[in-house]
Amino acid sequence: MQFATCAWAAFRSPATDGLRAIASNRSSELRVPGEAFDRLGREYPAVHDGLSPSERRIPAAVSDGATDAESTFARVTACQTRPFLGDSWCFAMTDRMAHAPVPLLQAEPSDRPVGIGTGLRPTDTEARVFADTTLNGIDRWIGGVHLRGRHLPWRWDDGTETLVRPRGRVSRHTPLPP
């Protein structure tokens, strides 16, 4: 019970300090939280492109032939080792990408939120490069952490598989304490 209480507190915290401790814990009573917290950490914008794995997979699925939000969701979830992303969250991410100041996707119809019947196509921006949060900014909650704006206090580093605090340019960073 104490582990579950600590995990819930780490999830709700406005800081990321407790995520690593939960992700590295291998509790015999609760074996799933460690893996889930590791996956949650990976949802932070990446150092190299500002996108989470889920956000990266959505335009990739569209570029690879998915023509609507439903088939995009099916392709994105097929890439998941364990179910992580539900359809509502996938549609919300897709909607943000389609209605961003510099859209990564074109949604049809464009005047409604993305849902099951929404058609999707890549944009010229998506074809050139996946946009960093410095291009469109971000306004998203991950647990108790509110990520907002273009310059974020935390990013995910795929190389070290840790959350880091970027310094200056996005590519220079220092690891967070354990």
Side-chain angles (χ1 to χ4, degrees):
M1 187 65 156
Q2 184 177 0
F3 177 68
T5 301
C6 290
W8 181 243
F11 178 76
R12 292 182 54 234
S13 174
T16 63
D17 303 342
L19 295 179
R20 185 183 301 172
I22 301 301
S24 64
N25 190 300
R26 300 297 177 242
S27 168
S28 58
E29 296 87 29
L30 298 171
R31 59 180 188 81
V32 176
E35 186 178 326
F37 272 67
D38 177 66
R39 182 62 178 86
L40 181 69
R42 294 170 192 274
E43 278 302 300
Y44 279 79
V47 169
H48 70 281
D49 67 3
L51 298 173
S52 71
S54 299
E55 291 169 322
R56 206 173 292 115
R57 289 175 181 150
I58 291 168
V62 174
S63 290
D64 198 36
T67 59
D68 59 33
E70 185 175 11
S71 62
T72 298
F73 171 68
R75 287 181 186 216
V76 168
T77 57
C79 297
Q80 297 175 356
T81 305
R82 299 223 190 276
F84 180 80
L85 184 66
D87 60 350
S88 294
W89 286 110
C90 183
F91 297 157
M93 285 181 183
T94 305
D95 190 72
R96 284 193 304 270
M97 291 179 184
H99 295 104
V102 180
L104 296 180
L105 298 169
Q106 183 176 352
E108 298 164 359
S110 61
D111 61 340
R112 291 195 303 240
V114 170
I116 287 178
T118 305
L120 297 172
R121 292 189 328 205
T123 63
D124 291 338
T125 302
E126 190 276 331
R128 283 194 318 263
V129 64
F130 283 146
D132 192 319
T133 54
T134 56
L135 180 62
N136 284 316
I138 189 172
D139 187 3
R140 183 164 52 115
W141 288 87
I142 299 178
V145 176
H146 189 189
L147 300 175
R148 185 178 3 194
R150 289 182 167 79
H151 305 287
L152 305 176
W154 296 289
R155 297 237 183 190
W156 180 259
D157 185 328
D158 288 319
T160 62
E161 295 190 335
T162 59
L163 285 170
V164 296
R165 289 186 188 274
R167 283 187 302 164
R169 298 187 61 168
V170 172
S171 61
R172 295 188 327 231
H173 56 271
T174 54
L176 291 172

